Amino acid sequence: MHLKDIPILVAHRGYAAAFPENTLEGIEAAIAAGACGIEFDLQFSKDGLPVLLHDADLKRVSGLDHSVFSLNLKELLKISASEPGRLGTRFAHVRLIALDTFLEKMARHAQVRFFIEVKDESLTHHGFDRVLTALEQSLTVSAVDYVLIAYNQPFLLQAGPQLDCPVGFILTHWDEENFANARALKPDYLICNFDKIPKNYDAFFTNEWEWMLYEVTDSALALKYGRLGVGFIETMEIHEMLKHPELRRRSCSDPGTL
């Protein structure tokens, strides 16, 4: 199989199959497994500062009945991110992490591209300008290779030029409205849940953007999409997927693969 036909694997919220999602521990484990890309989520605290978190509340990740918008960053960083309902007490020591701290620790992983998803709840609560001000303060001084991604097309239209960064647009639906928004945005990446793709669709080769599909946990399916022109595949099972010898050829155990 030609190397160009093998997709690059992106660890979806880190190695989330075995570790708490969006945590330093889970992301470090994904990188150790050979991930070339890491996708993680950002919400913004009561004081408008970014923290790695998918949900707008803490119920699932910590068991606490709090909104992320009700606590400042200092308070959030004391909270467990162990996902007790899914993982029990194994990761009780794991805490939420601020974007600044995370980026500082990731600077040594020059071979990894980070796909940073800004969640809609924070955009609605804080507004584009406040979110972008916080991101500008963190990302413009960071050495990491990153792509800003979101479902919110108007936000990306503003964020790409302001931060001078590549962007990825996530499709909410596979329909003409979403594709019209994508063509107007001209994103670097177009991202979609593979379950939303029409049966037998095979027109992924394009000069408009790179395709990235999630949540794929089957190596044969990932390789099929690679042959059809999909360059990036998101998976929560990064360690298991990279056991496949073909997918392993596009791993980043060694710098420079991406």
Side-chain angles (χ1 to χ4, degrees):
M1 190 172 184
H2 293 295
L3 195 63
K4 66 178 178 61
D5 294 328
I6 302 171
I8 291 169
L9 296 187
V10 176
H12 191 179
R13 308 181 202 169
Y15 182 15
F19 289 80
E21 67 182 32
N22 289 317
T23 60
L24 180 63
E25 290 78 1
I27 290 170
E28 290 279 20
I31 294 171
C36 288
I38 300 288
E39 185 271 353
F40 65 89
D41 305 292
L42 288 183
Q43 296 282 8
F44 288 71
S45 62
K46 180 180 180 180
D47 46 347
L49 298 174
V51 61
L52 275 65
L53 183 65
H54 180 276
D55 301 349
D57 63 69
L58 302 173
K59 188 67 176 177
R60 186 169 60 85
V61 298
S62 69
L64 299 178
D65 193 17
H66 292 300
S67 164
V68 67
F69 309 130
S70 68
L71 300 171
N72 62 38
L73 183 63
K74 186 176 180 180
E75 292 168 325
L76 286 169
L77 299 184
K78 297 176 183 177
I79 291 174
S80 169
S82 63
E83 292 190 68
R86 180 170 72 96
L87 298 169
T89 59
R90 180 183 172 194
F91 296 100
H93 61 289
V94 173
R95 296 290 180 267
L96 295 172
I97 187 167
L99 178 62
D100 286 352
T101 303
F102 176 74
L103 293 174
E104 183 179 348
K105 292 181 179 295
M106 291 299 108
R108 67 184 182 276
H109 298 300
Q111 78 278 18
V112 178
R113 181 166 299 161
F114 294 90
F115 294 84
I116 305 173
E117 182 178 346
V118 180
K119 303 304 291 183
D120 274 353
E121 299 95 338
S122 283
L123 292 173
T124 299
H125 184 85
H126 289 293
F128 293 2
D129 290 340
R130 190 177 187 191
V131 166
L132 281 170
T133 296
L135 289 175
E136 199 164 21
Q137 291 171 351
S138 298
L139 293 171
T140 56
V141 298
S142 172
V144 304
D145 176 11
Y146 76 93
V147 179
L148 200 68
I149 70 175
Y151 287 94
N152 192 306
Q153 186 253 25
F155 170 71
L156 292 174
L157 280 169
Q158 183 175 339
Q162 185 167 331
L163 298 178
D164 190 24
C165 69
V167 299
F169 179 46
I170 311 170
L171 300 178
T172 53
H173 298 89
W174 189 280
D175 58 21
E176 184 51 40
E177 180 181 355
N178 270 258
F179 279 98
N181 286 336
R183 288 189 290 269
L185 175 63
K186 298 181 175 63
D188 300 274
Y189 295 83
L190 193 62
I191 304 164
C192 186
N193 187 323
F194 84 95
D195 281 334
K196 297 178 180 178
I197 300 167
K199 188 175 181 180
N200 298 323
Y201 183 84
D202 62 0
F204 292 104
F205 285 104
T206 176
N207 293 322
E208 295 177 286
W209 45 64
E210 287 273 12
W211 279 97
M212 183 159 75
L213 302 183
Y214 69 96
E215 162 59 35
V216 179
T217 57
D218 179 84
S219 57
L221 185 61
L223 290 167
K224 170 191 169 183
Y225 281 125
R227 290 190 295 270
L228 292 174
V230 175
F232 295 80
I233 294 287
E234 278 190 66
T235 181
M236 290 185 173
E237 297 185 3
I238 188 70
H239 176 74
E240 292 80 2
M241 292 280 279
L242 283 176
K243 288 180 180 178
H244 192 286
E246 289 294 287
L247 292 171
R248 188 75 187 174
R249 291 172 64 195
R250 297 302 300 272
S251 73
C252 280
S253 298
D254 298 314
T257 306
L258 192 60

